[in-house]
Amino acid sequence: YILDQKGRRGAAVSAYQRAVSRKMDRDLREKAFWKIVLYYKHIRDWENLYVYTERFLKFNSGSGVRKLHALADQNRDPRLAEAKRLVREAEQLQKKKDTEGAARTYARALQSKSDYHPARWQLALLRMQQKNYRSAEAQLRRLIQSDESRWEYHYKAGLCNLQLDRHDAALADMQQARAKN
């Protein structure tokens, strides 16, 4: 609330997000959810608006929340829906042990939406499983560029670099992973 009053909306929303993920008074939770969803509506971040109205609807199914959820769903990126569909398809291929087909399908998901992190992460893990460490490390570098705070990305990049005998790079990645975890 203080961050919100100081005009630091992004930081305030982050704090509200942390708050709603914890156990708290129902009234405070509802107020925090409203702050979050109205912020995402204001900046037209349809995907986050969709995600948080979906969570909000689990305990408040009022017409205002439903309207915001419908608005978000209507304006979401159609490329995201295609990327999610392809990720589900790739997961099915992996279950059938068709790792190369799964890798191609994850790559197609990234062609549809290049910033879809779950597809890139799964492709990196799959390439590591296939012992294609150069490709996996390249995918992990893209993930690190977009979200440097995720220790898992650094850790896996370190493992790839270790397998590629790039010991200095492996050590640097492992140190980053340790610092972030």
Side-chain angles (χ1 to χ4, degrees):
Y1 177 80
I2 292 169
L3 290 167
D4 203 7
Q5 293 303 306
K6 289 184 175 184
R8 296 182 52 205
R9 300 289 187 273
V13 168
S14 293
Y16 288 133
Q17 288 170 330
R18 286 191 307 277
V20 298
S21 69
R22 293 181 168 81
K23 194 171 190 167
M24 62 189 300
D25 178 72
R26 181 179 173 82
D27 186 49
L28 290 176
R29 177 183 299 273
E30 185 169 346
K31 287 177 183 175
F33 264 116
W34 274 117
K35 292 287 190 175
I36 293 166
V37 299
L38 292 175
Y39 172 79
Y40 285 130
K41 178 183 181 252
H42 176 73
I43 66 168
R44 298 176 180 266
D45 182 340
W46 305 118
E47 186 57 33
N48 274 318
L49 180 60
Y50 183 85
V51 168
Y52 279 94
T53 54
E54 183 93 359
R55 289 180 59 195
F56 198 1
L57 282 168
K58 290 181 181 172
F59 76 94
N60 180 339
S61 60
S63 65
V65 180
R66 284 195 314 274
K67 285 178 185 174
L68 286 172
H69 188 68
L71 177 68
D73 194 30
Q74 179 181 7
N75 288 294
R76 287 169 72 196
D77 187 350
R79 296 172 304 150
L80 180 62
E82 176 65 5
K84 285 182 176 183
R85 184 191 68 74
L86 288 166
V87 165
R88 286 190 302 273
E89 185 179 316
E91 289 167 348
Q92 292 303 313
L93 291 168
Q94 274 187 282
K95 285 180 184 175
K96 295 176 183 174
K97 307 289 186 216
D98 181 2
T99 57
E100 204 45 53
R104 282 192 305 274
T105 306
Y106 284 126
R108 283 180 35 223
L110 290 169
Q111 286 173 345
S112 177
K113 185 151 176 64
S114 64
D115 62 345
Y116 189 52
H117 295 250
R120 193 166 303 283
W121 173 246
Q122 290 301 320
L123 180 58
L125 295 177
L126 184 60
R127 290 300 189 201
M128 287 181 75
Q129 180 185 345
Q130 294 173 324
K131 299 188 185 330
N132 186 343
Y133 299 108
R134 191 171 310 282
S135 175
E137 199 267 345
Q139 297 301 327
L140 291 161
R141 284 291 151 225
R142 298 271 310 264
L143 287 166
I144 290 168
Q145 285 175 347
S146 61
D147 186 359
E148 181 178 302
S149 68
R150 298 284 303 269
W151 70 270
E152 303 96 320
Y153 298 164
H154 294 279
Y155 177 73
K156 293 293 187 177
L159 292 177
C160 289
N161 279 316
L162 186 61
Q163 292 297 322
L164 295 167
D165 290 327
R166 299 177 189 158
H167 299 109
D168 290 340
L171 181 59
D173 284 324
M174 292 296 185
Q175 287 171 333
Q176 284 291 321
R178 186 170 189 218
K180 293 175 187 326
N181 185 12

